[in-house]
Amino acid sequence: MSEKCVHKGCGKSFTNPDEDCIYHPGPPIFHEGQKGWKCCKPRVLTFDEFLSIPPCTTGKHSTVDDTPVSELTSSDAKPEATIPPAPKPIVISNGTETFTRTPQSAQPPPPVATPEPESDSDAPELPVPPNTTCRRRACNVSSPATITSRNNEECIYHPGHPIFHEGSKGWTCCKRRVLEFDEFMRIEGCKRKGKHLFVGSGKKKGRGSEGAEEEKVESVRHDFYQTPSTVIASLYLKKINKQSAKIRFSSATTLDLDLPTTDSKRYKTIMPLFGPVDPEKSTWKIMGTKMELTLVKADGGSWPVLRADERRTGEIIQVGQAGRA
C-alpha cells in the first residue's frame, strides 16, 4: 500500500521506503516580506514563488515529520506596524544641527499581488505529462502516469491569496485562520471545479524566452534613508537584468532608468530627484529583488522625499545652530 511522504517540498506517494526523497529539512522563514527556507538561501516575495523553490536535500521518504520548529512563533511575532522613534539630531562639525527622520518608508508598502494562472482550464489538445502538479493553490494533486479520462476529476482549491498577519495565517477567500505553517498548508480549499489545471492554455511563453511579449511596469515601490552626506534609496523590482540595465544621470537632479528583467518586464522612467547629487561619486547596486542607489548629496541638505514630484509627508525638518542648555 502506498504512503504519502510528509517531508516539506516532497509530498509524493511512495511504496518503496528506499526511494530517494528530495525535500527541505529546515522550517519556512517569513521575514519583512521575504519568504524562504532556513535550509537554503533563495528568498522570494510572492507565495507562489516560495512554493516553487526547489528542495535542497536528498534523503529517504518518511511518514513522520521531523522538520525543526521555526524559531519565530506566533507568540513572539512582531506586529507589522510600529510607532517610529522620535528623530534624533545629527550635529555636523560646523555646529549645525539637523533633524532627520529615521531610516524607514515614508508610506507603507502596497500588498504584493500574486499573479493568476494564464488560463482557467487546460487546452484539450495539449498532453499532460505524468506527475504534473495542479497549478491551482492548495490543490497539490499530481497527474497519473496514464490518463484515460478526465471526466471524473474534481479540483478543490483556494481562488484567493495567502494572508500572513501578526502570526495568523489563512486565505483571503475563506475565514479560517491558523497559527502554524503546517496547519496553513492543510487548510482545505473552499472552491471546487470539475477538472484540474495541469498545463493551462499553452499560449504563455517561457520567462525570458526570445520573442516573448514585454510587459511595461508603470511604477515600482521605493523607500530611502539618509545621512548628512548621502541618500540610500531602494527600488523594488525583481530579476533585473544586470547586463541590459541602463542607469544614467542626465543632470545633477535627474536620473534616467531603463531596467529590463529576465522575466520579460521593463521599468523605464526619468526620476526627478529632490536635491542635487554628485553623479561621479554616486553608485548603484543590482540585487535579486531590488536596485540600491547611493546618492551623494551635492549641497548637504536634508531630503523629505526621494523624488521631486512626490507629495511631502508633512514631517518638520529643522536645520540651524544648536542652542545652549
Side-chain angles (χ1 to χ4, degrees):
M1 184 178 68
S2 64
E3 296 180 288
K4 186 163 184 172
C5 179
V6 298
H7 281 155
K8 302 292 185 296
C10 178
K12 294 182 179 179
S13 297
F14 67 97
T15 55
N16 181 11
D18 294 327
E19 182 179 285
D20 284 342
C21 171
I22 305 176
Y23 66 104
H24 289 291
I29 294 177
F30 301 94
H31 180 65
E32 294 183 354
Q34 293 191 340
K35 303 169 182 64
W37 297 90
K38 188 175 181 180
C39 49
C40 50
K41 293 182 178 180
R43 296 292 182 266
V44 295
L45 295 179
T46 66
F47 188 73
D48 285 351
E49 289 177 311
F50 164 73
L51 292 180
S52 64
I53 295 176
C56 58
T57 301
T58 301
K60 303 299 179 184
H61 291 300
S62 175
T63 56
V64 178
D65 189 4
D66 52 2
T67 305
V69 179
S70 177
E71 295 178 356
L72 181 62
T73 61
S74 59
S75 61
D76 59 7
K78 297 182 179 179
E80 291 185 350
T82 57
I83 300 175
K88 296 181 179 180
I90 299 176
V91 180
I92 310 176
S93 57
N94 62 3
T96 301
E97 187 176 271
T98 303
F99 289 86
T100 60
R101 62 179 179 179
T102 53
Q104 58 180 335
S105 301
Q107 297 177 347
V112 179
T114 308
E116 295 292 333
E118 75 273 15
S119 173
D120 193 48
S121 59
D122 288 341
E125 69 275 8
L126 293 179
V128 179
N131 297 320
T132 302
T133 304
C134 178
R135 297 182 182 183
R136 295 194 182 103
R137 301 179 184 98
C139 178
N140 300 323
V141 172
S142 298
S143 60
T146 303
I147 299 177
T148 56
S149 173
R150 300 190 60 180
N151 295 329
N152 297 325
E153 289 182 0
E154 184 180 32
C155 180
I156 305 174
Y157 70 103
H158 287 293
H161 305 290
I163 293 178
F164 299 92
H165 180 66
E166 294 185 355
S168 68
K169 303 169 181 65
W171 297 86
T172 56
C173 50
C174 51
K175 295 181 179 179
R176 187 179 175 188
R177 298 292 182 267
V178 296
L179 296 178
E180 299 298 330
F181 182 76
D182 287 348
E183 292 179 302
F184 164 75
M185 295 297 292
R186 290 195 294 266
I187 297 178
E188 187 177 12
C190 57
K191 191 172 182 179
R192 297 170 184 264
K193 273 190 175 290
K195 293 181 180 179
H196 296 291
L197 182 64
F198 290 123
V199 293
S201 64
K203 296 179 181 179
K204 187 175 181 181
K205 297 183 180 181
R207 294 180 176 181
S209 60
E210 294 184 3
E213 186 177 353
E214 193 172 71
E215 177 184 347
K216 183 179 179 181
V217 179
E218 297 293 340
S219 62
V220 298
R221 181 170 65 90
H222 69 266
D223 58 26
F224 77 100
Y225 66 95
Q226 61 185 304
T227 68
S229 59
T230 59
V231 173
I232 296 88
S234 295
L235 305 181
Y236 293 94
L237 180 65
K238 296 184 295 180
K239 301 178 182 178
I240 299 174
N241 190 328
K242 296 181 180 180
Q243 285 72 32
S244 305
K246 297 178 182 178
I247 302 97
R248 185 177 69 89
F249 289 94
S250 55
S251 70
T253 57
T254 306
L255 179 62
D256 296 343
L257 297 175
D258 185 3
L259 306 177
T261 68
T262 57
D263 55 353
S264 301
K265 297 179 182 179
R266 182 181 292 268
Y267 176 61
K268 191 173 182 179
T269 188
I270 298 175
M271 180 185 292
L273 301 175
F274 176 80
V277 300
D278 187 337
E280 297 297 327
K281 296 181 180 179
S282 300
T283 60
W284 59 84
K285 180 168 57 176
I286 295 177
M287 291 174 271
T289 58
K290 67 177 182 178
M291 182 180 74
E292 185 176 277
L293 298 164
T294 301
L295 307 173
V296 179
K297 298 177 183 178
D299 58 2
S302 183
W303 291 25
V305 292
L306 177 63
R307 299 174 59 113
D309 55 359
E310 282 184 297
R311 182 174 60 87
R312 305 288 181 89
T313 61
E315 195 170 7
I316 298 175
I317 301 176
Q318 298 177 346
V319 179
Q321 197 74 16
R324 296 182 178 178

